[in-house]
Amino acid sequence: MNTQRLVVLGINGHIGHHVARAFREAGWQVTGFGRSNRHPIPGVTFVPGDAEDVEAMRAAIGDADVVFNGLNLPYHQWDKGRLEAQTARVLAALGTTGKTLLFPGNIYNYAAGDRIITPALSQHPQTPRGEIRKRVEVAIAAAAARGDIRAIILRAGDFFGPASQGDWFDLVMLRDAGKGRLALMGTPGIGHAWAYLPDLARAFEKLAWHRAEFGGLETFHFAGHYVTPEVLGRAIAEAAPVRLRIGYFPRVLMSAMGLVSPMMREVAKMGYLWDHPMQLVDPRLDAILGPGFGTSLDSAVAATVGPFFGAARQAA
């Protein structure tokens, strides 16, 4: 019987919920921490608490072997040291216990001119937001270098998956699915990195299982699905039970919306990620995950878009 324990800080988040489910299905004892338990998972213990409270997090972590940091802040509230402060609270809660921290990295740490992005590639962030993410990882690395914790950073592209909210599928691409419209994100012919959340969560579990074989700090890059908007659009169209009118979302609208929306103003600054082919590559992780790991693009997209066409599918 697997007696290893995982605590998920931020169990209601995009990735936190899927990580909790993946670890539980793999036999781990899982505890979720958050302000509320919006989507209960059978077999997962929930501990209510506020991530502003270091002592509450420390108590929730308890004797867990591994801690997943699924906490985040609203997109426009990363600045003024707030995201770094959130990370500092997590590190304070972990203390000098030597526990393993799992952290989801992203592609913001790299420059627009970077094409093949491996863990060995030097980080030269394109934007202030990327600098913030780099500082967060530096803080984690410093804690690991002191021997306070062990850490595994798994970097991935944009999230998508079943019941995921607040991502590009529901905010933009399939926002008008009920009207038979698909608005693709990106630039024709330019690949973009996507991470199917159930697969990414299982990758975290694999790495956690192998953690004793790693150094104090390890960084991996999750390839996921690196596809052009045309390829993704075809997969969505094939999965939809109705014929879709396919076009591209006019990203200039983000800048216009940013005049009144702080969040959209910050999103617009990251437009370079859609204009440049930035591919995550990591043969070492591929070897750990093994051949055949991961859901095919068609199956992943079908599982993601199905709920957007629930009524139409039942009528078909």
Side-chain angles (χ1 to χ4, degrees):
M1 179 180 177
N2 187 353
T3 59
Q4 298 184 99
R5 287 197 58 221
L6 168 78
V7 169
V8 178
L9 302 177
I11 193 169
N12 291 316
H14 282 94
I15 181 63
H17 181 81
H18 284 276
V19 164
R21 185 177 294 279
F23 275 71
R24 185 70 192 95
E25 291 175 353
W28 290 63
Q29 298 176 39
V30 179
T31 296
F33 176 86
R35 288 194 182 96
S36 64
N37 193 18
R38 291 201 300 265
H39 307 288
I41 301 172
V44 173
T45 301
F46 176 71
V47 175
D50 193 325
E52 297 281 328
D53 187 339
V54 172
E55 290 303 322
M57 285 195 289
R58 184 177 291 130
I61 291 169
D63 61 354
D65 304 280
V66 179
V67 176
F68 179 82
N69 182 8
L71 300 171
N72 208 340
L73 291 172
Y75 207 69
H76 61 290
Q77 294 180 10
W78 289 16
D79 61 350
K80 300 177 182 178
R82 287 178 284 193
L83 195 62
E84 294 97 320
Q86 184 185 74
T87 303
R89 287 190 291 272
V90 172
L91 294 175
L94 285 165
T96 58
T97 59
K99 297 179 186 297
T100 297
L101 174 67
L102 304 179
F103 182 76
N106 65 20
I107 207 167
Y108 294 6
N109 302 47
Y110 296 93
D114 295 331
R115 294 291 177 263
I116 303 300
I117 301 175
T118 68
L121 185 66
S122 297
Q123 296 183 7
H124 300 286
Q126 185 78 17
T127 65
R129 187 167 298 279
E131 293 286 358
I132 292 170
R133 293 291 301 203
K134 183 177 179 179
R135 287 195 294 271
V136 164
E137 292 187 19
V138 167
I140 293 172
R146 292 192 300 269
D148 296 348
I149 62 169
R150 298 168 63 85
I152 298 172
I153 297 172
L154 180 54
R155 197 176 315 285
D158 278 321
F159 297 160
F160 75 105
S164 180
Q165 296 180 338
D167 60 26
W168 293 114
F169 274 65
D170 77 307
L171 292 178
V172 175
M173 294 196 297
L174 290 172
R175 182 177 180 177
D176 290 326
K179 300 177 182 178
R181 291 201 293 262
L182 168 62
L184 296 175
M185 285 294 297
T187 303
I190 300 297
H192 188 78
W194 296 91
Y196 183 57
L197 284 167
D199 287 348
L200 180 60
R202 290 193 302 114
F204 269 112
E205 193 279 328
K206 278 270 195 180
L207 292 175
W209 183 262
H210 287 280
R211 67 189 184 280
E213 304 164 20
F214 301 151
L217 171 69
E218 299 282 1
T219 299
F220 297 92
H221 287 186
F222 183 75
H225 295 286
Y226 178 74
V227 295
T228 64
E230 298 95 322
V231 170
L232 183 61
R234 283 196 294 270
I236 294 174
E238 290 174 3
V242 298
R243 186 177 181 85
L244 295 176
R245 298 188 299 280
I246 303 176
Y248 280 82
F249 177 75
R251 283 185 287 127
V252 67
L253 290 182
M254 291 184 182
S255 297
M257 294 166 64
L259 296 175
V260 295
S261 168
M263 186 182 79
M264 294 309 299
R265 182 163 56 248
E266 296 305 314
V267 169
K269 294 177 182 177
M270 307 305 295
Y272 74 96
L273 296 172
W274 300 102
D275 296 327
H276 299 273
M278 303 172 69
Q279 182 176 9
L280 293 165
V281 175
D282 189 348
R284 183 186 178 205
L285 177 61
D286 294 342
I288 293 171
L289 298 181
F293 182 91
T295 308
S296 70
L297 178 66
D298 287 345
S299 296
V301 166
T304 302
V305 307
F308 289 92
F309 301 98
R313 191 175 297 280
Q314 291 176 8

